[in-house]
Amino acid sequence: MSKPVNSLESPRFCGVRTFMRLPHVASAEGVDFAILGVPFDTATSYKPGCRFGPESIRAASSILKNYNEVLDVDIFEECSGVDWGDIDIVPGYLEESFEKIEEGVATVLQEDAIPVIMGGDHSITLPELRAVAKKHGPVALIHFDAHSDTGSDYFGKPYNHGTTFHWAIKEGLIKPEASSQVGIRGPLYSRDALQFARESGMDVITGWELHHIGIEAAVKRIRERIVPGTPVFLTFDIDFLDAAYAPGTGTPEIGGFTTHEALKLVLESCQGLNLIGMDLVEVLPESDTADITSFAAAGIMHAFLSCLAYNKRQAGTE
């Protein structure tokens, strides 16, 4: 593994804005993680525009620093990383874009780097998981969201940002018995809207339940389902946060969670797990206020990177 990259000393590439000022390169060879953008929002059902999410998150990330005092870890003392840039997609052409997303993520995985992905709408997670499963097999999914995204179709068509995990389960990309959906809330299409996820074996911790049981109990439930060593993919829809903390999203929901609660969930859920990928989706800059949604997104990604660094350090001391 190459020497860890110190983001504060890394030059910007040709004036391109990058996540945490990481070097912008088209290769992930020899590094621990690669940041990728997926500027795709063709599968949205309400407000489009999250194709501009990666650009906005990159801008917000410039305020971040290397050290996470909660875990007592410096990301770039333990890990090396690059900003791989954006995957080229085909606006308006969903399945063609899915092929490009899968190919782009597969390229990063082939170089043994962990993909850390900025969306884009939540449909992008399906081709990401297709690439991940080809390398690691089916994964345990930790899914923070206001919406279960397990509908079978949308107006008779299979792919939409609300059907992602229905097809991920059907295609055998995730292990439902090891997976959790957390924060699900809001009005539903029907009484049985969450039936598929639950009958498939996923643990669905609704938003109402999460408020009731608290963060620590939820973390315990998430972690006790995952057999040690199981590959884990984290997917975070920014509308997990209450609309007051994330107005910049396409399908906002009230009754949600604070940024502090989100950070605590990520930091405490991911310690010691075999993390093999992450995405953060549905940031819509046009609807944002003072960039608070983008700052939240960048901070949650920072928490995930901190866990990567913490886990690598812990593995080195065993």
Side-chain angles (χ1 to χ4, degrees):
M1 192 65 67
S2 63
K3 181 181 178 181
V5 174
N6 184 327
S7 70
L8 297 182
E9 298 176 357
S10 301
R12 296 193 179 193
F13 181 80
C14 298
V16 175
R17 180 180 286 134
T18 59
F19 190 87
M20 285 188 71
R21 303 179 196 165
L22 285 164
H24 180 182
V25 298
S27 171
E29 183 177 2
V31 300
D32 293 294
F33 67 86
I35 305 292
L36 294 81
V38 183
F40 179 78
D41 60 11
T42 296
T44 53
S45 57
Y46 190 51
K47 289 184 181 180
C50 56
R51 69 182 65 186
F52 300 107
E55 179 183 2
S56 185
I57 298 169
R58 284 188 174 101
S61 77
S62 65
I63 200 173
L64 298 174
K65 286 80 176 177
N66 297 358
Y67 178 69
N68 186 307
E69 57 90 16
V70 177
L71 299 183
D72 184 26
V73 68
D74 186 305
I75 294 171
F76 296 106
E77 284 182 0
E78 306 296 336
C79 293
S80 55
V82 298
D83 191 326
W84 196 79
D86 287 351
I87 293 174
D88 291 329
I89 54 87
V90 187
Y93 291 86
L94 197 147
E95 294 189 27
E96 290 83 350
S97 292
F98 277 12
E99 292 175 2
K100 289 183 174 291
I101 294 166
E102 181 179 346
E103 180 182 342
V105 173
T107 299
V108 170
L109 290 167
Q110 287 165 7
E111 296 177 345
D112 293 323
I114 294 172
V116 182
I117 302 159
M118 304 173 287
D121 70 53
H122 218 158
S123 72
I124 69 171
T125 309
L126 181 59
E128 293 165 12
L129 289 173
R130 287 170 176 167
V132 164
K134 287 178 180 177
K135 181 177 178 65
H136 296 286
V139 300
L141 186 76
I142 302 177
H143 176 197
F144 297 109
D145 203 330
H147 310 102
S148 177
D149 297 344
T150 49
S152 61
D153 67 277
Y154 197 73
F155 288 97
K157 299 296 183 181
Y159 302 130
N160 170 268
H161 70 163
T163 65
T164 302
F165 301 106
H166 177 95
W167 295 109
I169 292 170
K170 287 290 189 180
E171 293 179 22
L173 308 179
I174 64 177
K175 295 182 175 182
E177 71 279 4
S179 301
S180 301
Q181 296 189 315
V182 185
I184 312 304
R185 65 187 190 276
L188 301 171
Y189 284 111
S190 66
R191 183 177 287 106
D192 62 355
L194 301 178
Q195 183 175 341
F196 175 80
R198 287 174 169 146
E199 290 185 349
S200 296
M202 300 184 80
D203 186 19
V204 181
I205 304 175
T206 66
W208 198 266
E209 184 180 8
L210 179 56
H211 281 300
H212 177 69
I213 67 174
I215 302 299
E216 292 184 4
V219 168
K220 181 180 178 181
R221 276 172 58 175
I222 292 167
R223 293 177 61 85
E224 68 186 6
R225 294 171 63 82
I226 302 173
V227 175
T230 301
V232 177
F233 189 94
L234 174 71
T235 183
F236 196 108
D237 188 321
I238 203 67
D239 67 28
F240 171 85
L241 301 177
D242 188 85
Y245 294 87
T249 189
T251 48
E253 295 284 358
I254 64 169
F257 301 90
T258 68
T259 49
H260 170 74
E261 289 169 319
L263 291 174
K264 187 173 176 66
L265 278 162
V266 172
L267 290 172
E268 295 188 3
S269 295
C270 291
Q271 291 178 43
L273 299 183
N274 179 21
L275 303 172
I276 51 79
M278 181 252 192
D279 69 12
L280 189 145
V281 297
E282 301 284 355
V283 171
L284 175 57
E286 186 178 8
S287 294
D288 208 2
T289 302
D291 300 322
I292 63 172
T293 309
S294 295
F295 283 118
I300 291 163
M301 291 177 64
H302 185 276
F304 180 82
L305 296 177
S306 299
C307 288
L308 290 183
Y310 176 87
N311 292 349
K312 185 178 180 183
R313 184 180 67 188
Q314 293 302 108
T317 60
E318 294 177 355

